[in-house]
Structure formats: C-alpha cells, structure tokens
Amino acid sequence: MEAAPLLDIKVGYINKSIDPKIDLVHEINRLKSEKNAVLLAHYYQEPEIQDIADYIGDSLGLARRAAETEADIIVFAGVHFMAETAKIINPHKKVLLPDLNAGCSLADACPADEFAAFKARYPDHIVISYINCSAATKAQSDIICTSSNAEHIVGQFPKDQPIIFAPDRNLGGYLNRKMGRGMVLWDGVCIVHQVFSEQKLVRLKARHVGVPVLAHPECDAPVLRHADFIGSTSQIRKYAREDVHDTFIVATEEGILHQMQKDSPQKTFIPAPPESGCSCSQCPHMRLNTIQKLYLCLKYELPEIVLDEHIRIAALAPIERMLLMSKEVA
Ligand code: 13P
Ligand code: SF4
C-alpha cells in the first residue's frame, strides 16, 4: 500500500510537513506538558481546538488567564490582537499564534497613525479602546475594554467626561444609546457581526414565536433592536445555560454554539442568518487556525509574537487599568 503523503503547512515563514498518521491531539497534549505550555482558546475556534484547550473564554477571560498563567509558553488559539495582549502582559514568556495572518477587521480598521491624527482633533477627550485593536493603538489609549466589561468601565466616568471610543462603532453606538452617552466613535466594524440580516432575522423570529434572540454588541443597531439579550460571548453562553427557554436564536460567530450545546444538550440553538446566501457565520481570521497548525506551532515554537518594547510598555498601562477597573465583572 502506498504511504499517505506528508501535509505541507507554513509555520510562520517556514514550510513544515506533518505525517498524516500521527495522532495530533495526543501529540499536542504531550508537547504542552513537555514544554510547560498553556493553550488558551477563544469561543470562535473550531470545535476540535476548543476541545483540547486548557481554557476557553471570551476576550476578557483570555486576558485574565494570560495575566495569571505560570506556563513558560502561551499558545493562543485566537487572533493576533489577543496573542499580542498576552505578550504585552507577559514580556518574558513565549507567546505563539498558530497563524500570524489571523487578524481582525476591527483592528485592521484602526491603523495607529490614522488614529493618532483622529485623537489630535479631540484633545480634551479620554480614549477607551476595545481590545480588538493593535498594540500601537492600545498604546494611544487610556483604558482598554472588552465586550464583557465595556459598560462597567464607561459607567465609571462622569457623564460630562468627553470620551473617544474606538474602533467598534457598533459596540460604541450600543453603549451610547443604552447609557445616554455621546462618545465620539471610530468608524470600524466586525465583518462577521456587521452582516447579520435584520430582514431575515425578523422572518426567523416570526417562524419561532417567543424564542429569545441573543446578540453580541458588535452587531449593528437594526439587528440589536430585535435582541432579547445583548452580551459578550461568555455572557451569551451563561444566559442560554441559565434561562428557562429551550430554543434560542444566536447572533454571533457560530463557534460559540459548540460550548452552548455542550452546556445544554437538550436545548436548540438557531444561528442568526447573515445577508449572504450562506447560513454560516464564521470569522475567516479565527478559522485560519487549524489543529495541524497548532501542532506545528507547539513543536517548532513558531510563529512567535514579538513586540517593540516602547509600544509594549505604553500598551500595558491601559490593559492593567482595565483589569483593575473590572475586577468585579464575572
Ligand atoms: P468577546 O470575546 O469579548 O465576546 O468578543 C467577541 C469577538 O469578536 C472577539 O473577537
Ligand atoms: Fe475580529 Fe469580528 Fe473576527 Fe472577532 S469575529 S476576530 S471582531 S473579525
């Protein structure tokens, strides 16, 4: 019988091969313990990655875990800004991201030089930046927030405090409406949450009368109008676990459904429909990570997150402020 061909995969900038016969899950677990590495994964990773992670969470949970870990290596199954945040907090640890191209449309929409020019137009404003931005943009911010703690953090500033909120205009707009604020918004969106269709959602609701809609605040206002609950991924997960309903419509990246279904096998989760004909809502950046890349990344300790030390130090202060200001947020 002919031997199965080796799989060629890029690790950072180098091509490496995987023998398709090896048990990747077993090898990843072996390498993790041999190297004292921790695997942190976001809910939007594919299920087989979530299933071998040491911790699965939302952006806040992941940042907290990164701050607490005693591992020598952090392997981040998520996107670049998340791994970068872990590196900002842990300059002496090796932080690896299975695919360096795993970016984020929100981070890409807010280049640091353009943000500096924007900020200069509002000299009396403080800057609250959503964690979905680059280290260089974080370095120009006063405080970082995530979707779990944004309301809690904004609420700690008096109503007359002028604030710039970047880069997600949907999350910022949601906070402005809910909290009666007038924050100046940077015009960025998440390409996954922006494309949920209000029209299709209304039709879906009409077919499932009484079924609650759970939505992430990165969705735009017309979709959020139809939501019964708005929260971060971990808040959506908790709501579905604890609520008495047995069916939910879920408007966020569909990776979260894996944990929701595990929490409540008897419940039904219906993904909210995007504008396109496709019924799936997967983040193309998050999905660049695969179990094969994860294995190679651990084996070769590549690709690694490397940061300019001046930017790292400037970006650390607003992250530490966030962690301090949102200690009580679950
Ligand atoms: P949370 O992890 O804060 O729910 O945000 C979702 C997201 O889009 C991360 O990129
Ligand atoms: Fe960025 Fe949206 Fe993907 Fe999250 S889901 S990483 S916000 S593009």
Side-chain angles (χ1 to χ4, degrees):
M1 205 174 77
E2 236 177 83
L6 298 179
L7 280 175
D8 280 334
I9 291 183
K10 256 200 163 64
V11 188
Y13 299 103
I14 311 161
N15 264 324
K16 292 286 180 194
S17 300
I18 300 185
D19 180 343
K21 289 195 295 294
I22 65 169
D23 178 342
L24 290 174
V25 171
H26 177 269
E27 280 305 298
I28 289 169
N29 284 327
R30 187 185 63 74
L31 288 167
K32 272 197 309 187
S33 65
E34 182 186 298
K35 297 181 181 224
N36 188 26
V38 68
L39 173 57
L40 307 182
H42 190 269
Y43 288 124
Y44 296 165
Q45 292 296 285
E46 56 184 63
E48 60 178 342
I49 294 182
Q50 293 190 35
D51 287 344
I52 52 167
D54 297 299
Y55 175 79
I56 314 158
D58 68 359
S59 305
L60 179 61
L62 289 164
R64 282 176 172 158
R65 272 302 162 115
E68 287 161 7
T69 186
E70 288 183 358
D72 296 315
I73 298 178
I74 299 173
V75 185
F76 222 109
V79 290
H80 195 273
F81 76 81
M82 295 177 171
E84 209 175 47
T85 302
K87 183 67 183 178
I88 292 167
I89 301 170
N90 294 287
H92 304 301
K93 292 189 196 297
K94 197 174 256 189
V95 179
L96 308 171
L97 180 66
D99 191 320
L100 270 191
N101 292 320
C104 169
S105 67
L106 280 166
D108 293 347
C110 192
D113 53 343
E114 289 176 31
F115 188 62
F118 179 79
K119 203 182 134 177
R121 286 168 32 207
Y122 303 96
D124 57 340
H125 286 52
I126 61 157
V127 176
I128 303 183
S129 290
Y130 191 34
I131 197 162
N132 300 38
C133 63
S134 68
T137 298
K138 286 186 176 75
Q140 300 178 53
S141 310
D142 296 292
I143 302 156
I144 302 303
C145 71
T146 73
S147 56
S148 276
N149 62 18
E151 187 176 343
H152 183 80
I153 285 177
V154 172
Q156 290 176 59
F157 292 93
K159 281 228 162 134
D160 57 358
Q161 168 67 58
I163 299 173
I164 292 174
F165 189 89
D168 187 359
R169 70 157 192 242
N170 287 338
L171 174 59
Y174 163 69
L175 295 169
N176 275 348
R177 291 189 300 279
K178 183 166 183 196
M179 304 177 77
R181 297 276 177 161
M183 295 188 295
V184 174
L185 308 179
W186 180 268
D187 191 16
V189 294
C190 159
I191 48 166
V192 179
H193 292 86
Q194 181 62 22
V195 297
F196 286 116
S197 159
E198 184 196 10
Q199 251 187 21
K200 290 184 184 174
L201 179 60
V202 169
R203 273 189 254 138
L204 189 65
K205 274 183 79 150
R207 289 205 304 276
H208 299 275
V209 177
V211 168
V213 175
L214 317 181
H216 197 281
E218 288 175 14
C219 297
D220 72 356
V223 166
L224 291 180
R225 254 204 310 271
H226 302 282
D228 299 280
F229 176 76
I230 298 171
S232 69
T233 44
S234 55
Q235 290 164 345
I236 287 176
R237 179 185 175 190
K238 182 170 184 284
Y239 188 94
R241 194 171 53 226
E242 295 174 357
D243 189 68
V244 293
H245 288 84
D246 60 6
T247 307
F248 300 87
I249 296 170
V250 183
T252 189
E253 213 270 10
E254 65 178 37
I256 183 75
L257 301 181
H258 183 56
Q259 295 304 323
M260 291 168 85
Q261 202 66 77
K262 272 175 130 178
D263 290 343
S264 318
Q266 76 290 3
K267 295 188 180 178
T268 304
F269 301 103
I270 307 169
E275 290 289 356
S276 70
C278 163
S279 64
C280 65
S281 296
Q282 295 188 346
C283 171
H285 303 290
M286 288 276 182
R287 303 297 174 135
L288 281 177
N289 295 325
T290 60
I291 196 134
Q292 288 83 4
K293 290 182 194 170
L294 185 56
Y295 160 69
L296 290 174
C297 160
L298 252 168
K299 182 171 177 185
Y300 296 104
E301 300 182 17
L302 280 170
E304 186 181 354
I305 302 289
V306 182
L307 278 173
D308 173 278
E309 186 59 4
H310 293 289
I311 291 182
R312 189 194 72 77
I313 290 169
L316 179 61
I319 293 173
E320 286 184 333
R321 234 168 261 142
M322 166 186 86
L323 294 173
L324 210 69
M325 287 175 76
S326 60
K327 272 200 164 130
E328 48 281 86
V329 175

